[in-house]
Amino acid sequence: MRCAVLDDYQDAARANADWSRVDLTVFREHMSSEDEVAAALADFDVVVIMRERTPFPASLLARLPRLKLLITSGMRNAAIDLKAAAVLGVTVCGTASRSEPPVELTWALILGLCRHVVPENVAFRSGGPWQSTIGTDLVGATLGLLGLGKIGTRVATIARAFGMEVLAWSQNLTAERTEAVGARLALSKEELLAGSDIVSIHLALSDRTRGLVDADALAAMKPSALLVNTSRAAIVDTEAMIAALTSGQLAGAGLDVFDLEPLPADHPLRTLPNVLATPHLGYVTRGNYSRYFGEAVEDIDAFVAGAPIRTLG
């Protein structure tokens, strides 16, 4: 069984699992075209992918006749055509994933934005001005959560520890659910956006949430408000967000997800001074990597034994 690990930017796979029973090849550089991926993977029986870094649509799966097992980190991956995989006889398996790391990164972005950590640190290291910004208080401010699932709930708990008010909204959210975590249900998306000092997104990407935060939604926010997205880039209209950040309609954004990853070097989000961004690090921790790659090896062993585990689809 020849196994390929894709998009292992940090060469983390080898160090976080015992691959001794596997003929392993690691691809550290991202392949941007389907032709490139199909050519690189032609001789592999097993492919391990990191989240949604490389999509596996039906067209790509059809070009990999040798592929028998596709493993994704996490138990959900919208970039895999599961129906096509089933038709083509490709077993798809996942791994466990911890929800705490994206919560922690969400708060790193919020705190970094509110206290201007990056520009102050740059000034400190370069001999710049001693104190050049004024921070935003969290205590008494309102955090608006678009989504109150496992991650959103943890974010809400930390917000309350900071003394913040918490608003939450999603299409099926109830008052009982919000009250249980000390939050208040916003009656509409617009009410949440207009009433929040910081808006943080914690929704799964679907047809209902794609483009949910569009130009009109951004216009409903306070000019002093901050937008944080550690969920999925497509939930926000990127061009509308850039326009709002450029015009001052939106004070700042903390971003960990992007429409195209890796983000091109000349992308406007790389230069806007009111953007604090990280290169999709929400799930990138030692604990998660150990779980991802360790369970990927378990998935391979179970498949070889004829009893696949953690199957998707």
Side-chain angles (χ1 to χ4, degrees):
M1 299 283 284
R2 295 196 63 203
C3 175
V5 175
L6 296 191
D7 297 304
D8 186 7
Y9 304 147
Q10 298 138 313
D11 200 17
R14 298 180 191 278
N16 283 281
D18 177 7
W19 300 90
S20 59
R21 299 179 301 282
V22 179
D23 181 3
L24 181 67
T25 299
V26 172
F27 293 89
R28 296 188 62 182
E29 299 298 323
H30 178 69
M31 292 177 275
S32 57
S33 73
E34 184 176 300
D35 287 344
E36 189 179 3
V37 177
L41 300 183
D43 295 327
F44 290 94
D45 309 281
V46 181
V47 174
V48 179
I49 60 176
M50 285 298 297
R51 309 295 288 192
E52 296 165 2
R53 291 178 182 177
T54 295
F56 271 72
S59 56
L60 175 59
L61 290 165
R63 299 173 68 178
L64 300 172
R66 182 166 169 171
L67 181 63
K68 298 296 183 288
L69 176 63
L70 179 62
I71 301 170
T72 175
S73 56
M75 288 300 293
R76 180 174 59 192
N77 190 326
I80 299 173
D81 189 326
L82 294 174
K83 291 182 179 179
V87 169
L88 293 166
V90 178
T91 299
V92 182
C93 298
T95 72
S97 180
R98 298 181 60 170
S99 61
E100 295 89 348
V103 173
E104 294 164 2
L105 186 69
T106 295
W107 279 103
L109 291 172
I110 291 173
L111 291 168
L113 280 168
C114 287
R115 300 307 297 266
H116 309 284
V117 170
V118 172
E120 290 290 6
N121 180 257
V122 169
F124 181 88
R125 291 181 175 276
S126 62
W130 189 264
Q131 297 184 356
S132 60
T133 63
I134 299 175
T136 298
D137 296 290
L138 293 183
V139 62
T142 298
L143 175 66
L145 297 176
L146 288 171
L148 197 64
K150 186 183 296 185
I151 293 174
T153 295
R154 290 181 180 274
V155 172
T157 300
I158 296 169
R160 292 179 60 217
F162 276 117
M164 301 182 75
E165 300 293 325
V166 181
L167 276 176
W169 178 88
S170 65
Q171 289 176 325
N172 296 317
L173 194 59
T174 65
E176 292 76 15
R177 173 77 182 101
T178 54
E179 289 169 4
V181 299
R184 180 167 61 86
L185 177 66
L187 299 180
S188 65
K189 176 183 71 174
E190 290 72 23
E191 179 184 325
L192 179 135
L193 295 170
S196 300
D197 299 295
I198 302 167
V199 173
S200 189
I201 299 171
H202 302 287
L203 295 164
L205 180 62
S206 68
D207 290 340
R208 293 192 306 177
T209 61
R210 187 179 298 274
L212 183 72
V213 182
D214 56 12
D216 290 339
L218 292 165
M221 296 176 66
K222 302 175 183 179
S224 58
L226 305 172
L227 177 67
V228 177
N229 189 6
T230 57
S231 184
R232 289 293 183 269
I235 295 171
V236 179
D237 181 331
T238 298
E239 294 305 316
M241 178 179 64
I242 291 172
L245 289 164
T246 303
S247 69
Q249 182 183 3
L250 183 64
L255 307 172
D256 187 50
V257 288
F258 308 93
D259 291 327
L260 181 61
E261 298 182 9
L263 197 67
D266 59 352
H267 197 281
L269 288 175
R270 287 184 178 266
T271 60
L272 287 174
N274 50 353
V275 170
L276 176 59
T278 48
H280 208 154
L281 297 178
Y283 56 88
V284 180
T285 66
R286 290 185 178 90
N288 253 350
Y289 270 14
S290 293
R291 184 167 295 189
Y292 288 167
F293 295 120
E295 293 194 3
V297 173
E298 291 177 4
D299 289 346
I300 295 170
D301 289 342
F303 178 81
V304 171
I309 56 176
R310 293 187 284 266
T311 56
L312 305 181

